[in-house]
PDB file of all heavy atoms in Angstrom:
ATOM      1  N   TRP V 454     358.262 129.528 138.979  1.00  0.00           N
ATOM      2  CA  TRP V 454     359.702 129.200 139.250  1.00  0.00           C
ATOM      3  C   TRP V 454     359.979 128.653 140.622  1.00  0.00           C
ATOM      4  O   TRP V 454     360.766 127.732 140.870  1.00  0.00           O
ATOM      5  CB  TRP V 454     360.477 130.474 138.948  1.00  0.00           C
ATOM      6  CG  TRP V 454     361.952 130.268 139.007  1.00  0.00           C
ATOM      7  CD1 TRP V 454     362.782 130.476 140.036  1.00  0.00           C
ATOM      8  CD2 TRP V 454     362.810 129.817 138.073  1.00  0.00           C
ATOM      9  NE1 TRP V 454     364.117 130.133 139.804  1.00  0.00           N
ATOM     10  CE2 TRP V 454     364.071 129.813 138.544  1.00  0.00           C
ATOM     11  CE3 TRP V 454     362.574 129.403 136.646  1.00  0.00           C
ATOM     12  CZ2 TRP V 454     365.191 129.378 137.740  1.00  0.00           C
ATOM     13  CZ3 TRP V 454     363.634 128.907 135.913  1.00  0.00           C
ATOM     14  CH2 TRP V 454     364.969 128.925 136.503  1.00  0.00           C
ATOM     15  N   PHE V 455     359.333 129.298 141.688  1.00  0.00           N
ATOM     16  CA  PHE V 455     359.671 128.854 142.966  1.00  0.00           C
ATOM     17  C   PHE V 455     358.659 127.794 143.730  1.00  0.00           C
ATOM     18  O   PHE V 455     359.092 127.208 144.628  1.00  0.00           O
ATOM     19  CB  PHE V 455     359.759 130.093 143.883  1.00  0.00           C
ATOM     20  CG  PHE V 455     360.969 131.139 143.627  1.00  0.00           C
ATOM     21  CD1 PHE V 455     360.774 132.176 142.856  1.00  0.00           C
ATOM     22  CD2 PHE V 455     362.245 130.688 143.998  1.00  0.00           C
ATOM     23  CE1 PHE V 455     361.812 133.065 142.581  1.00  0.00           C
ATOM     24  CE2 PHE V 455     363.274 131.535 143.615  1.00  0.00           C
ATOM     25  CZ  PHE V 455     363.114 132.689 142.948  1.00  0.00           C
ATOM     26  N   PHE V 456     357.516 127.774 143.161  1.00  0.00           N
ATOM     27  CA  PHE V 456     356.484 127.020 143.987  1.00  0.00           C
ATOM     28  C   PHE V 456     355.792 125.907 143.241  1.00  0.00           C
ATOM     29  O   PHE V 456     354.971 125.159 143.780  1.00  0.00           O
ATOM     30  CB  PHE V 456     355.390 127.910 144.567  1.00  0.00           C
ATOM     31  CG  PHE V 456     355.968 128.965 145.409  1.00  0.00           C
ATOM     32  CD1 PHE V 456     356.108 130.362 144.985  1.00  0.00           C
ATOM     33  CD2 PHE V 456     356.446 128.670 146.806  1.00  0.00           C
ATOM     34  CE1 PHE V 456     356.680 131.226 145.832  1.00  0.00           C
ATOM     35  CE2 PHE V 456     356.962 129.719 147.572  1.00  0.00           C
ATOM     36  CZ  PHE V 456     357.023 130.998 147.001  1.00  0.00           C
ATOM     37  N   THR V 457     356.089 125.846 141.916  1.00  0.00           N
ATOM     38  CA  THR V 457     355.382 124.774 141.036  1.00  0.00           C
ATOM     39  C   THR V 457     356.388 123.766 140.636  1.00  0.00           C
ATOM     40  O   THR V 457     357.328 124.031 139.945  1.00  0.00           O
ATOM     41  CB  THR V 457     354.645 125.425 139.920  1.00  0.00           C
ATOM     42  OG1 THR V 457     353.777 126.480 140.229  1.00  0.00           O
ATOM     43  CG2 THR V 457     353.819 124.345 139.117  1.00  0.00           C
ATOM     44  N   PRO V 458     356.181 122.472 140.925  1.00  0.00           N
ATOM     45  CA  PRO V 458     357.041 121.328 140.512  1.00  0.00           C
ATOM     46  C   PRO V 458     357.022 121.237 138.988  1.00  0.00           C
ATOM     47  O   PRO V 458     355.871 121.401 138.399  1.00  0.00           O
ATOM     48  CB  PRO V 458     356.515 120.133 141.243  1.00  0.00           C
ATOM     49  CG  PRO V 458     355.532 120.597 142.353  1.00  0.00           C
ATOM     50  CD  PRO V 458     355.076 121.939 141.873  1.00  0.00           C
ATOM     51  N   PRO V 459     358.150 120.992 138.282  1.00  0.00           N
ATOM     52  CA  PRO V 459     359.471 120.972 138.924  1.00  0.00           C
ATOM     53  C   PRO V 459     359.951 122.338 139.309  1.00  0.00           C
ATOM     54  O   PRO V 459     359.758 123.248 138.524  1.00  0.00           O
ATOM     55  CB  PRO V 459     360.296 120.344 137.948  1.00  0.00           C
ATOM     56  CG  PRO V 459     359.629 120.674 136.615  1.00  0.00           C
ATOM     57  CD  PRO V 459     358.131 120.719 136.871  1.00  0.00           C
ATOM     58  N   LEU V 460     360.586 122.558 140.459  1.00  0.00           N
ATOM     59  CA  LEU V 460     361.074 123.901 140.933  1.00  0.00           C
ATOM     60  C   LEU V 460     362.128 124.350 140.029  1.00  0.00           C
ATOM     61  O   LEU V 460     362.947 123.539 139.539  1.00  0.00           O
ATOM     62  CB  LEU V 460     361.486 123.881 142.315  1.00  0.00           C
ATOM     63  CG  LEU V 460     360.381 123.428 143.397  1.00  0.00           C
ATOM     64  CD1 LEU V 460     361.000 123.346 144.752  1.00  0.00           C
ATOM     65  CD2 LEU V 460     359.160 124.277 143.341  1.00  0.00           C
ATOM     66  N   HIS V 461     362.313 125.656 139.990  1.00  0.00           N
ATOM     67  CA  HIS V 461     363.363 126.310 139.273  1.00  0.00           C
ATOM     68  C   HIS V 461     363.396 125.933 137.784  1.00  0.00           C
ATOM     69  O   HIS V 461     364.493 125.779 137.181  1.00  0.00           O
ATOM     70  CB  HIS V 461     364.762 126.099 139.940  1.00  0.00           C
ATOM     71  CG  HIS V 461     364.740 126.329 141.371  1.00  0.00           C
ATOM     72  ND1 HIS V 461     364.456 127.638 141.873  1.00  0.00           N
ATOM     73  CD2 HIS V 461     364.942 125.403 142.456  1.00  0.00           C
ATOM     74  CE1 HIS V 461     364.536 127.695 143.237  1.00  0.00           C
ATOM     75  NE2 HIS V 461     364.921 126.306 143.685  1.00  0.00           N
ATOM     76  N   ALA V 462     362.183 125.690 137.239  1.00  0.00           N
ATOM     77  CA  ALA V 462     362.107 125.505 135.816  1.00  0.00           C
ATOM     78  C   ALA V 462     360.808 126.077 135.287  1.00  0.00           C
ATOM     79  O   ALA V 462     359.807 126.062 136.090  1.00  0.00           O
ATOM     80  CB  ALA V 462     362.108 123.953 135.564  1.00  0.00           C
ATOM     81  N   TRP V 463     360.690 126.415 134.103  1.00  0.00           N
ATOM     82  CA  TRP V 463     359.474 126.995 133.529  1.00  0.00           C
ATOM     83  C   TRP V 463     358.564 126.053 133.131  1.00  0.00           C
ATOM     84  O   TRP V 463     357.403 126.431 132.856  1.00  0.00           O
ATOM     85  CB  TRP V 463     359.830 127.865 132.306  1.00  0.00           C
ATOM     86  CG  TRP V 463     360.820 129.125 132.640  1.00  0.00           C
ATOM     87  CD1 TRP V 463     361.951 129.251 132.280  1.00  0.00           C
ATOM     88  CD2 TRP V 463     360.532 130.107 133.563  1.00  0.00           C
ATOM     89  NE1 TRP V 463     362.564 130.408 132.898  1.00  0.00           N
ATOM     90  CE2 TRP V 463     361.500 130.977 133.637  1.00  0.00           C
ATOM     91  CE3 TRP V 463     359.326 130.499 134.389  1.00  0.00           C
ATOM     92  CZ2 TRP V 463     361.663 132.160 134.432  1.00  0.00           C
ATOM     93  CZ3 TRP V 463     359.378 131.645 135.111  1.00  0.00           C
ATOM     94  CH2 TRP V 463     360.508 132.408 135.114  1.00  0.00           C
ATOM     95  N   THR V 464     358.814 124.769 133.211  1.00  0.00           N
ATOM     96  CA  THR V 464     357.891 123.687 132.754  1.00  0.00           C
ATOM     97  C   THR V 464     357.008 123.316 134.066  1.00  0.00           C
ATOM     98  O   THR V 464     357.341 123.641 135.141  1.00  0.00           O
ATOM     99  CB  THR V 464     358.576 122.392 132.310  1.00  0.00           C
ATOM    100  OG1 THR V 464     359.448 121.946 133.353  1.00  0.00           O
ATOM    101  CG2 THR V 464     359.441 122.702 130.993  1.00  0.00           C
ATOM    102  N   ILE V 465     355.705 122.828 133.830  1.00  0.00           N
ATOM    103  CA  ILE V 465     354.868 122.465 134.850  1.00  0.00           C
ATOM    104  C   ILE V 465     354.434 120.992 134.771  1.00  0.00           C
ATOM    105  O   ILE V 465     353.978 120.606 133.511  1.00  0.00           O
ATOM    106  CB  ILE V 465     353.526 123.466 134.713  1.00  0.00           C
ATOM    107  CG1 ILE V 465     353.960 124.852 134.942  1.00  0.00           C
ATOM    108  CG2 ILE V 465     352.591 123.006 135.850  1.00  0.00           C
ATOM    109  CD1 ILE V 465     352.802 125.698 134.686  1.00  0.00           C
ATOM    110  N   ALA V 466     354.678 120.278 135.654  1.00  0.00           N
ATOM    111  CA  ALA V 466     354.420 118.765 135.528  1.00  0.00           C
ATOM    112  C   ALA V 466     353.020 118.343 135.660  1.00  0.00           C
ATOM    113  O   ALA V 466     352.579 117.710 134.780  1.00  0.00           O
ATOM    114  CB  ALA V 466     355.266 118.029 136.594  1.00  0.00           C
ATOM    115  N   ALA V 467     352.248 118.878 136.574  1.00  0.00           N
ATOM    116  CA  ALA V 467     350.824 118.535 136.759  1.00  0.00           C
ATOM    117  C   ALA V 467     349.926 119.545 135.939  1.00  0.00           C
ATOM    118  O   ALA V 467     350.070 120.661 136.056  1.00  0.00           O
ATOM    119  CB  ALA V 467     350.562 118.571 138.306  1.00  0.00           C
ATOM    120  N   PRO V 468     348.991 118.750 135.196  1.00  0.00           N
ATOM    121  CA  PRO V 468     348.010 119.629 134.484  1.00  0.00           C
ATOM    122  C   PRO V 468     347.081 120.572 135.374  1.00  0.00           C
ATOM    123  O   PRO V 468     346.782 121.761 135.044  1.00  0.00           O
ATOM    124  CB  PRO V 468     347.129 118.608 133.793  1.00  0.00           C
ATOM    125  CG  PRO V 468     347.967 117.408 133.752  1.00  0.00           C
ATOM    126  CD  PRO V 468     348.834 117.331 134.964  1.00  0.00           C
ATOM    127  N   GLU V 469     346.864 120.121 136.659  1.00  0.00           N
ATOM    128  CA  GLU V 469     345.922 120.939 137.457  1.00  0.00           C
ATOM    129  C   GLU V 469     346.718 122.177 137.946  1.00  0.00           C
ATOM    130  O   GLU V 469     346.105 123.236 138.224  1.00  0.00           O
ATOM    131  CB  GLU V 469     345.524 120.088 138.711  1.00  0.00           C
ATOM    132  CG  GLU V 469     346.602 119.561 139.587  1.00  0.00           C
ATOM    133  CD  GLU V 469     347.108 118.238 139.255  1.00  0.00           C
ATOM    134  OE1 GLU V 469     346.773 117.770 138.114  1.00  0.00           O
ATOM    135  OE2 GLU V 469     347.726 117.576 139.983  1.00  0.00           O
TER     136      GLU V 469
END
Side-chain angles (χ1 to χ4, degrees):
W454 185 264
F455 290 105
F456 301 104
T457 305
L460 301 180
H461 308 298
W463 296 114
T464 59
I465 302 173
E469 61 269 18

